[in-house]
Amino acid sequence: MRKLNMLIVLSVIAALAVLSFNVDVHAAKKWPDKPMELLIPTSPGSGASVYTQTVAKLAKKYLDQPMDVLHKPSGNGNDLCRFLMRQPADANSVAIYVGSMTGYMNLPGFESKPTDFVYLMQMFKSLYSLYVHQDSPFKTIEDMIKYAKENPGKLDIGSNKIGSVHFTNVELFAKAAGIKINHVPYKGAGGARKDVMGKHLTAAVAQPYEVLSRSKYLRMLLLFDDKRMPELPDLPVPSDLGYNYDTFYQVYGIMLKKGAPADRLEILKAAFKKVMEEPEFVKLGDKTGNSIVFEDTDVFTQKVLKKTETVREILVELKVIK
């Protein structure tokens, strides 16, 4: 009788254990249980917005919930980060991290700290180039450097806003080349491009495919990367000139408020990695200078924090911040 009772007790314990396991699995699979938010620090219609809309649409397939895209263009990312910090740390609100945030987070008035967020993963990378008008007397980057050294402060180079990837590349290049330039920040890269095409500005920074699409008017002199691009083998990089420094490129990744449950972070990461394999996403990497590059949380976080500090040093040197 005792053996029978013991068998009954053990059977009940085993059944409860199985039931508990099934409940836990069901609970894990249940999240997300409502529509999610995917934030982007740019306006509708921008390249980053198009990228974000694509990611949101594809992610629904793997998260079983729609992702509502919210544009937060004000304050160079400050509005986006402020919004994230007001949300619960439940991973229901996530954001597209863009590389220019490394600079914007250093600007006066930015309320959040880089360490307030989880940089879950990198998904995409876009290179930048320095370009001039086709009629420019500068046929090579060496021509431009020679002119700048002979005429300190007279070379105009346009870029996106202060702190952006465009801005950082211009300043790092000028420092490495030992030249003094007249750096002209614009509200957007499109304004600088328009002025170069109109011959009101000498040079500017843009992604290679943007220049190639206007090759009738524009010509690249330098690629901001550590090695030449196979598609553009004749376009030099800083190391070809003897300038060895950490170049900057645009990055699209996933960030969210710190403190979200680890299991939810893994669910998100698995879903977004699947998105990276979708043909529609892969197509985004077809443009010259774009590439799909995954980096996991630890590597991506170290890169974000390191580059944020690099831009801070530049902004201090330029007396933009103290």
Side-chain angles (χ1 to χ4, degrees), residues 114 116-120 254-260 265 297 301:
D116 288 335
F117 305 98
V118 173
Y119 303 97
L120 188 65
I254 301 296
M255 63 180 284
L256 63 161
K257 181 180 178 180
K258 187 173 285 186
L265 296 182
T297 307
T301 299

Side-chain angles (χ1 to χ4, degrees), residues 171-244:
E171 290 296 336
L172 286 173
F173 165 69
K175 183 177 181 179
I179 58 177
K180 184 178 180 181
I181 64 170
N182 178 30
H183 192 168
V184 187
Y186 284 71
K187 290 184 178 180
R193 183 174 63 246
K194 180 180 178 181
D195 279 355
V196 173
M197 291 177 67
K199 301 183 182 181
H200 307 301
L201 180 70
T202 304
V205 176
Q207 294 168 321
Y209 73 86
E210 293 177 314
V211 181
L212 290 172
S213 67
R214 298 166 176 84
S215 58
K216 180 179 178 181
Y217 306 99
L218 306 175
R219 174 164 43 84
M220 287 179 279
L221 296 183
L222 184 71
L223 178 70
F224 294 112
D225 199 17
D226 57 356
K227 59 184 178 181
R228 295 195 182 198
M229 193 186 308
E231 299 93 326
L232 301 169
D234 297 327
L235 185 63
V237 296
S239 59
D240 291 329
L241 306 169
Y243 309 147
N244 295 299

Side-chain angles (χ1 to χ4, degrees), residues 298-316:
D298 289 343
V299 174
F300 188 39
T301 299
Q302 290 175 15
K303 178 183 291 184
V304 168
L305 296 180
K306 179 183 177 182
K307 287 186 176 288
T308 301
E309 186 56 37
T310 297
V311 184
R312 167 169 283 277
E313 293 171 1
I314 293 172
L315 294 173
V316 169

